[in-house]
Every structure is written in C-alpha cells, then in structure tokens.
Amino acid sequence: MSRFQVKKVAVLGAGVMGAQIAAHLVNVKVPVVLFDLPAKEGPKNGIVTRAVEGLKKLKPSPLGVADDAALIGQANYEEHLEQLRDCDLIIEAIAERMDWKLDLYKKIAPFVAPHAIVASNTSGLSITKLSEALPESIKPRFCGIHFFNPPRYMVLVELINTPTTSPEVLDQLEAFVTSGLGKGVVRAHDTPNFVANRVGIAGMLATMKEVENFGLTYDVVDDLTGKKLGRASSGTFRTADVVGLDTMAHVIKTLQDNLDDKSDPFYASFGTPAVLQKLLELGNLGQKAKAGFYKKVGRDVLRFDLESEEYVPGGQKADEVYGRMLRKPAAERLRLLRNAEGAQGQFLWAILRNSFHYAAVHLGTIADNARDVDQAMRWGFGMKQGPFELWQEAGWLDVAKMIQEDIDAGKALSKAPLPEWVFKGPVAEAGGVHTAQGSWSASAQKFIARRALPVYERQHFPEKLLGEALPDFATAGTTLHEDDAIRLWTLEGADRAPGTGIVIASIKTKMHAISPDVAEGLAQAVDLAEKDYEGVVIWSGDEPFSAGADLQAMLPAFMVAGVSAIEGAEAELQNTMLRIRYANVPVVAAVRGLALGGGCELAVHSARRVVHMESYIGLVEVGVGLVPGAGGLTYIARRAAENAATSTGKDILPFLTEGFTAAAMAKVGTSALESRKLGYLLDSDVIVPHKDELLFVAINEAKSLAKGGWRAPAKRLFPVVGRSGIATIKGSLVNMRDGGFISQHDFHIAGLIAEVVCGGDVDAGTLVSEEYLMTLERKAFCALIEHPKTQERILGMLSTGKPVRN
C-alpha cells in the first residue's frame, strides 16, 4: 500500500464544528481551506471570514496560537470549487440535514481528485445513505468521520464505513487521524449515533429518568456522576450545558427517528425529558445561551427548577458516605451501592446497571468489539473506565447475576435479558471481555486483537484497557538503575551494540517533582549514556512531565539547617541542569502535560524538546513567592543575548522583555505552539500531536542527533543589559505597583527577577557566564525563602493547592 499523504485538506461548512476542525488542522500544520455558501451581502467569503474571526474569541481556544487563524484558507462554493482538486482529504461538516448534504455532494463531485478521500462529519446520519449521492468512482473513498466537540481537545474520532468503502481507505484515514491529528480512532458500525453517542446519550437519558425516579437535584447528581464516579468533572447536567441542549436534543431525535421497540428494547426510555423540552422552549440552550440546567448570576451558580420554571440557588453536594463508597475497590463499591438504603446510592447503582445492560445488549450491532465501546466512552465522554472495564474489574459473573436479577425483578429500564455470551462460553471463562488475546466481538463470537496498522508501531506504550496484555512502561525494557525517585532503563535488547541505544530516564515522584534524588538520577543517566549509549530521553510515561522542584522535600532541611541547606540543594540542581546542557550525548526532553518551574528549566536545558501539542510550559515560581532557581532566568538572559546577536541592532533589552515578563507574570503556554512563542520551545523542537507517539519520536530524535555528530554547545560568555536595564524594568514595575496592578511583594519579586536577567550591578554589554547568573538566581531564591510573605505563599500552596495573593 502506497503511503497516503495529506498535503491539503478542504473542510466544507464553516459552522461550529467545521471551523474548529479547520483550526485543529492548522494547529498540526496541515494546510486547510474552509468553504461555505457565498454571502448574500458584502464579500462572497463573508460567512467563512466571520467564522475564522470567531475562532479567536472562543474559550477554550480551538487554536494553539490565535494568530494562526490567518493560515485558514477561505473559499465559497460559487467561486472556488476548483480548489478541491488540490485536496487529498475533503471533510464535509455542514448542518445535520440529509438533503443539504446530498445536494452538496452532487455539487462537489466533479471537482474531487481521483485519489482524494471524502468524509462526512456527522454525529448520527446514515453514512450509507449519504454515499448514495456520490458517483461510483468516489464511493470507495467515502466514509464517515465523527469528531467530538471541541475537536482540538477531544481525543475521540469515529470512522464509519459503508458497504462500498475500501478497507485501504479506512486504514489510510486512520493513520492520518491518529498520527497527524493526534486522535484516538474507533471504528463504528453505521447505526444511529454510532458508538459513543449511542451509548453515552442513552446513558444520559437513562440518568435523567433515574433522577426523576429518585427525586434528586441536578447539582447533587453532577457531584455524584463527575470525578467521584470516574467520569468527566462536569458530571451529567453540566456536560449537557457545555454540549448544548439543542445539540443534545438533535442526537436524541436521531435515536427517536431511526430506532423503535424492535431495534432497541430500551426505546421507551428515549423520550425527550420534560425538563429538557421546557429548557428548549425557553431558549435556554446551555452554556452558549448563558442558561441551561444551570445559570450563573454574578458569582452564584443557580440551577433550573422545573416545577417553578425558575432558577434557584444551587451548589448542593452529595452525601459524603457515597463519596467514600465510590473510593472502595470495584467489587465492594458496586455491592455497597446496590444494597444502599439511601436514594443517592440506589441511583448510582441504577445508572451503572443501566450502562452495563445497554452496552451488553447492543455490543453486537454498534461496534466490532468491546474495546471500541470502552475506548469510545473514555475518549468521547471523559470516563476513566468504559462500562465493560468497570464490570470486568468488579467481577464479571457476579455483576452479571446482579444485573439479571434486577431485569427479572422489573427494576431495569428494559426487560431484554443479558445476551447468552455474558454467562456462557469464552467471556464467562475469561472473566470478562478484555483478554490477552483481544476484546470480545459479540458479532463474530470471538476475541479480536487490536488492528496492526503501521501507525501503531509508533506507540511503544499505547493506552490500554483493563485485562489487555500490553506492555507497561514501569516494568518494560531493561532496568539500568532504579530507586524511589527515578528509573533509568532502555528499550534496547541484549543484542545492542556498544555505544548505541538510548537511556530513558523516568521520574517516579509525585507529579514528577524534581527532588535532590531525581537530580542525582538525571546526572547518573547522563553518565551512563556518555559511557555506553547514544543519548538520553527524559520521559516518565504519563502526565505531567514535571510540576517543578519538590518544595516539600526541601522543607525538612530548611527547618534543621536554615537557608544554607536550600542554597546547597539549589546549587546541586543548577549543576544538574548544566550537566544536561553540556553532556557529550544529546539529552531530549519528552514533554507531556505540565512542565512548570523546575520542569520547564529541565526542558530548556536539554539539547532538544519533543513536546505533545497539549503541553503547558512556564516558569511559575512567583506563584509561591519565589524566583526560578535552577537556571530558568539564566536561560532567559542567554537566549536574549543569542537572539540579539542575530539582529542588526545592539540593544539586548527588547529581546529580554518578553522573557522577563513571562517569568515575572508566571505566564504559561497553553499549548506547545504558544510555549514556542514565549521562548520555552525553539523552532528546532518537535511538536507531536499524539501523546502515545511521544517516546517513539523522542528516541528517534536523540538517535538522529547522535548520528549527526552531536556536540554539546561551546561554553561561552554572553553580554547582559546591566544596571541600566534594571532601572528601565523597575521603572515600569513602579507604575504597576502604584496603579494597584501588583502587590508590594510582587514588586519585590519582579525586581529580583529583573536584577538576575539583566546581570546585576554591571555595565551594559558586560560579558558574563551561566555560572555567574546562576549564583545571582540562587541568592535571590534563598533571600525569598526567608521572607515571611513568601513562606505564607508556600504554605498556602502546599495546604490548599491554590496560590496565595499577599
């Protein structure tokens, strides 16, 4: 099979989904042109232009960098259909109207390139019926592609074939969506609402029905069905508000219109809930309308009361006893909930039982196997575990018996019995649907292994489900050294030639905080690599990369020996950063999630950074009343000097300003792209869309650097702006303080940052070393450790996890 290259994409439809899909394509550097109808007044591209401008205002932002909206090409169906000939992938994302979509397909068909894939982004319309409007030549290259909203952040993409879709086309598209867009792909059957929405919306409807049965309020239900239940923190009704109640109503109507009692024994539960109908009539469509199940008034969050049709005070929490139950092991948890006397416990058991029941009855028709259902619910609805995983963990046959007993007693939503495969045969014998051989396919009556596409060879440690026999990064490979703080290991086998291979350094501390033991382990990784390997990759398997230096680990030493102990620990940490920067082998930081404070400093001192798109990088020490102390400010000063050297001007201060501001205001890049703008990533660094490809790319990057004849940068002196720069920066800080924008302690901290990045009390242009600036950093850090207001901030953060403003 020849490699399918996506050099350009067309997105048809500049509505909410179409515009955001285009934005995500820009994020991953795929050229895209966004189409819509010609505007009736003004410029013909007016509809698309307004949609693109609107992307800059949305929160959370669909763009990694707002300015990249300009990279979205703009077109309309009247003037620009010829542009489709250059597109390798055409994604149709217009309104969910079958007749509109079919009409558009007839219009574009003559302009589709002979190799291009055409895909409809629909949440539930029949892909097979849509394909009937296409010429025979395009049908093999047509399928469904269902992005979840918002496309940048939601992992799930469902691919849906038709009887005429070429298997090769689906494989090609899956590879692009996985590696190119960073998504998790589930292949769904062409049934109403596919997999995630079929199970998820049925679950939300069932939840609303049980809410009525047990007389609970929406805020209590959201407290019960959020993080405590291992689901998205927004729970049930806040999720509905975020999705949009009109969107939810549309998905419900798809179920109502395309199913009946024969095709779905739960059909009686698919009636539009009275409260949803009333909110729709009132125009209260959720978050976008600023009112739905909830409404925010000032700082107060009110909830809708159906009886009065008014918003009443909200904020009620669930009984803590159920919070404790939900922390129990799965088997004990479900048993306690089923036997609970209170309404909240009975409600929780009911919604879990309903989800197990529904998924089991429909597995054979909606999905190829149970893995696709569980992955769809993880990636599309933010569940920690899919329904089959939780059922399996709690004891497959024991839970099955409890479900069937409830069905027989008339307590369930449907009288349909659990399928025979639940109780007899391979699943019952294996104790669940996920096994080392694969996941259960109810239609094929066997366990199905994961798809072995080449794209998945890039995932050394893919996200796995309970029961699967996939490798675990914590024990994989060959361990070179391990203690409580860090594991040094390699994926290379015993046949590795001397001087080849990569040492992987995996931090094991909480939030991967950098303690003295971690620093020592990182230095040891460099020693091992310099002796007998090609390079080092710092990768810890899961998020975050590192939330910073381990302040708690420093406190006991500070209490015993005072600030001298802190100064010694900071000096060692700085030495580790320089050891990494000047190593004789390339050190690559594989960043995913948070890289804050010391984590950011570790990343910027590495030879190269390979970063997952959704990473958040910054120097945030001012939040706890400190300055960066492990070389972060030194990095800012050095980079300013290096950038100034490439310009025609001789003034370093303009190149220093952004770095100073980022550190003084604790700015964090809210994407890898934004972190590049802040200077924490360089143009040479690699941004990876898929989290599970990070290690693969980082290892190859380290090997590439080594094979290219890696040499550490030469140690050299560089100029600083000196006392004149300090005076300029402090002048602006005075205005901020006197204007009430920053506190006196903020002013003091920012002043110390200015003194370090400007090089202290020296003339402008004075040449300094990294060691000199690190000494200034260390002194400022230690002076603040002894400051009472900084100690208030540190203790506040350690006790509450929230910054203290003083």
Side-chain angles (χ1 to χ4, degrees):
M1 183 174 73
S2 60
R3 179 167 170 257
F4 176 64
Q5 297 185 54
V6 179
K7 299 183 286 293
K8 187 176 181 180
V9 176
V11 177
L12 312 182
V16 173
M17 284 301 291
Q20 292 198 56
I21 291 169
H24 187 61
L25 287 160
V26 164
N27 290 338
V28 296
K29 298 295 180 273
V30 176
V32 59
V33 57
L34 181 61
F35 281 79
D36 211 301
L37 294 166
K40 293 179 180 178
E41 297 179 0
K44 288 285 182 73
N45 286 341
I47 294 172
V48 175
T49 301
R50 287 191 293 275
V52 170
E53 286 302 306
L55 290 170
K56 301 176 186 178
K57 302 170 187 173
L58 287 177
K59 297 293 178 187
S61 176
L63 291 157
V65 176
D67 292 346
D68 282 353
L71 299 177
I72 298 174
Q74 300 184 17
N76 66 79
Y77 304 130
E78 184 178 299
E79 300 176 306
H80 305 120
L81 287 179
E82 283 287 341
Q83 292 188 33
L84 293 177
R85 298 188 193 277
D86 299 327
C87 296
D88 309 292
L89 173 61
I90 298 170
I91 300 173
E92 171 270 304
I94 68 170
E96 295 280 276
R97 282 273 302 268
M98 178 75 72
D99 53 341
W100 291 359
K101 288 177 185 281
L102 296 178
D103 182 61
L104 180 59
Y105 294 172
K106 291 173 184 174
K107 188 180 293 185
I108 68 168
F111 302 93
V112 175
H115 70 285
I117 294 175
V118 181
S120 175
N121 179 69
T122 173
S123 60
L125 294 180
S126 169
I127 305 302
T128 302
K129 287 182 181 177
L130 288 172
S131 72
E132 291 170 1
L134 292 166
E136 292 300 318
S137 60
I138 296 178
K139 284 183 180 180
R141 294 178 279 122
F142 178 77
C143 65
I145 183 169
H146 180 208
F147 288 84
F148 273 62
N149 191 23
R152 172 185 163 186
Y153 301 96
M154 296 301 287
V155 175
L156 179 62
V157 169
E158 293 175 318
L159 297 184
I160 310 96
N161 68 313
T162 74
T164 55
T165 305
S166 164
E168 181 181 89
V169 163
L170 274 188
D171 290 349
Q172 290 171 335
L173 190 55
E174 181 164 349
F176 170 69
V177 170
T178 300
S179 196
L181 303 186
K183 300 304 177 185
V185 171
V186 164
R187 293 199 186 180
H189 291 171
D190 190 9
T191 55
N193 288 344
F194 312 130
V195 177
N197 275 344
R198 180 69 177 273
V199 176
I201 295 299
M204 290 180 79
L205 284 169
T207 298
M208 291 180 185
K209 198 170 184 67
E210 299 294 0
V211 167
E212 293 176 10
N213 291 343
F214 290 101
L216 303 178
T217 59
Y218 309 136
D219 40 10
V220 167
V221 169
D222 279 351
D223 189 39
L224 287 169
T225 60
K227 283 189 174 180
K228 289 177 180 175
L229 198 60
R231 298 183 178 181
S233 57
S234 51
T236 300
F237 295 99
R238 280 191 181 85
T239 297
D241 275 355
V242 171
V243 169
L245 303 191
D246 52 343
T247 301
M248 184 177 174
H250 170 78
V251 178
I252 292 170
K253 192 170 189 310
T254 302
L255 291 177
Q256 294 168 344
D257 291 348
N258 294 282
L259 296 169
D260 54 31
D261 291 320
K262 291 181 180 178
S263 57
D264 194 319
F266 295 80
Y267 185 76
S269 302
F270 293 165
T272 304
V275 63
L276 179 59
Q277 190 63 51
K278 176 53 66 176
L279 288 168
L280 292 170
E281 290 171 8
L282 294 171
N284 296 355
L285 305 182
Q287 189 169 278
K288 59 189 172 188
K290 303 191 184 304
F293 286 103
Y294 297 98
K295 181 179 180 180
K296 193 169 184 182
V297 179
R299 293 187 175 183
D300 297 325
V301 177
L302 309 180
R303 61 175 170 81
F304 186 71
D305 178 67
L306 179 59
E307 188 174 338
S308 66
E309 297 184 15
E310 299 288 341
Y311 285 88
V312 299
Q316 281 185 276
K317 297 292 183 183
D319 292 343
E320 178 52 35
V321 64
Y322 300 108
R324 290 195 295 271
M325 282 186 190
L326 290 172
R327 290 193 289 270
K328 299 286 186 182
E332 185 180 356
R333 184 191 325 158
L334 295 192
R335 192 169 59 252
L336 286 170
L337 292 174
R338 188 179 187 231
N339 296 327
E341 294 182 2
Q344 293 177 25
Q346 293 172 20
F347 161 79
L348 283 169
W349 163 249
I351 64 171
L352 290 171
R353 175 202 64 218
N354 295 340
S355 70
F356 300 152
H357 188 190
Y358 193 86
V361 167
H362 289 294
L363 175 59
T365 55
I366 65 173
D368 181 54
N369 60 74
R371 177 177 54 254
D372 285 343
V373 172
D374 280 347
Q375 286 179 328
M377 299 315 293
R378 278 189 180 202
W379 297 336
F381 279 77
M383 292 185 177
K384 187 177 178 183
Q385 291 179 304
F388 289 119
E389 283 186 281
L390 175 56
W391 181 350
Q392 182 165 332
E393 185 184 10
W396 184 263
L397 286 177
D398 288 341
V399 174
K401 289 171 184 173
M402 290 192 290
I403 298 168
Q404 190 59 53
E405 285 172 6
D406 279 14
I407 296 169
D408 295 340
K411 296 179 180 179
L413 292 179
S414 168
K415 295 178 181 178
L418 288 174
E420 188 176 354
W421 59 259
V422 170
F423 293 102
K424 296 178 182 178
V427 171
E429 292 164 10
V433 291
H434 302 305
T435 69
Q437 293 75 42
S439 294
W440 181 251
S441 170
S443 55
Q445 289 289 297
K446 64 179 181 178
F447 294 109
I448 303 287
R450 288 186 174 224
R451 284 185 295 281
L453 298 179
V455 68
Y456 293 119
E457 294 173 8
R458 297 168 59 88
Q459 299 182 12
H460 288 301
F461 302 99
E463 185 178 324
K464 69 177 178 179
L465 304 176
L466 180 83
E468 287 190 299
L470 297 179
D472 184 345
F473 69 83
T475 55
T478 302
T479 300
L480 308 174
H481 165 81
E482 186 168 15
D483 55 35
D484 290 340
I486 198 166
R487 180 183 181 227
L488 309 180
W489 56 291
T490 181
L491 279 171
E492 272 74 25
D495 57 347
R496 177 186 67 89
T500 65
I502 300 297
V503 175
I504 303 168
S506 296
I507 302 170
K508 295 168 56 180
T509 53
K510 184 178 180 181
M511 296 291 285
H512 301 147
I514 303 172
S515 65
D517 289 342
V518 169
E520 186 179 329
L522 292 170
Q524 187 177 347
V526 174
D527 291 341
L528 283 168
E530 286 181 337
K531 182 180 178 183
D532 200 25
Y533 289 85
E534 291 175 274
V536 175
V537 167
I538 304 171
W539 176 85
S540 299
D542 51 11
E543 296 187 37
F545 175 72
S546 174
D550 191 345
L551 290 175
Q552 274 186 305
M554 295 182 181
L555 285 179
F558 176 65
M559 299 300 291
V560 173
V563 77
S564 61
I566 297 292
E567 186 166 9
E570 280 298 296
E572 285 302 314
L573 195 52
Q574 290 175 340
N575 288 337
T576 299
M577 298 301 174
L578 292 176
R579 179 80 179 93
I580 287 169
R581 173 166 163 73
Y582 294 107
N584 291 323
V585 293
V587 179
V588 174
V591 179
R592 174 184 162 201
L594 302 176
L596 304 179
C600 175
E601 290 167 315
L602 180 57
V604 299
H605 281 88
S606 299
R608 189 67 49 88
R609 286 140 295 279
V610 173
V611 186
H612 179 234
M613 175 72 71
E614 296 306 325
S615 294
Y616 305 85
I617 304 173
L619 297 169
V620 297
E621 285 83 354
V622 297
V624 288
L626 294 169
V627 299
L633 300 182
T634 300
Y635 168 79
I636 289 171
R638 174 173 59 77
R639 286 294 299 160
E642 291 169 351
N643 289 335
T646 64
S647 76
T648 54
K650 295 184 178 179
D651 188 4
I652 300 172
L653 189 57
F655 296 93
L656 185 65
T657 304
E658 188 165 5
F660 162 79
T661 304
M665 296 181 66
K667 282 188 178 181
V668 175
T670 56
S671 69
L673 298 171
E674 192 173 62
S675 295
R676 182 175 272 161
K677 284 196 74 173
L678 292 176
Y680 297 131
L681 300 180
L682 308 181
D683 288 342
S684 56
D685 293 329
V686 181
I687 296 175
V688 179
H690 201 295
K691 63 182 177 61
D692 291 339
E693 292 186 1
L694 196 63
L695 180 60
F696 174 88
V697 177
I699 287 173
N700 280 281
E701 193 69 17
K703 289 183 175 181
S704 176
L705 289 171
K707 286 177 171 58
W710 164 259
R711 291 288 179 188
K715 279 197 174 188
R716 63 174 76 236
L717 304 179
F718 51 89
V720 291
V721 298
R723 64 179 73 89
S724 60
I726 297 172
T728 301
I729 293 174
K730 284 191 174 180
S732 64
L733 291 174
V734 167
N735 293 334
M736 293 181 71
R737 180 197 61 193
D738 294 348
F741 297 104
I742 60 174
S743 70
Q744 177 60 39
H745 195 48
D746 291 328
F747 173 81
H748 176 57
I749 297 166
L752 290 175
I753 291 174
E755 289 173 14
V756 176
V757 298
C758 292
D761 189 16
V762 297
D763 294 332
T766 298
L767 298 177
V768 302
S769 67
E770 287 169 295
E771 288 84 356
Y772 165 79
L773 286 176
M774 283 184 171
T775 300
L776 295 183
E777 262 189 64
R778 201 163 62 245
K779 288 180 178 177
F781 186 93
C782 291
L784 285 168
I785 278 280
E786 294 186 296
H787 198 292
K789 288 194 176 293
T790 286
Q791 291 175 1
E792 283 178 23
R793 291 191 182 187
I794 292 173
L795 291 174
M797 179 63 77
L798 291 176
S799 60
T800 68
K802 297 179 181 178
V804 174
R805 307 312 303 168
N806 57 5

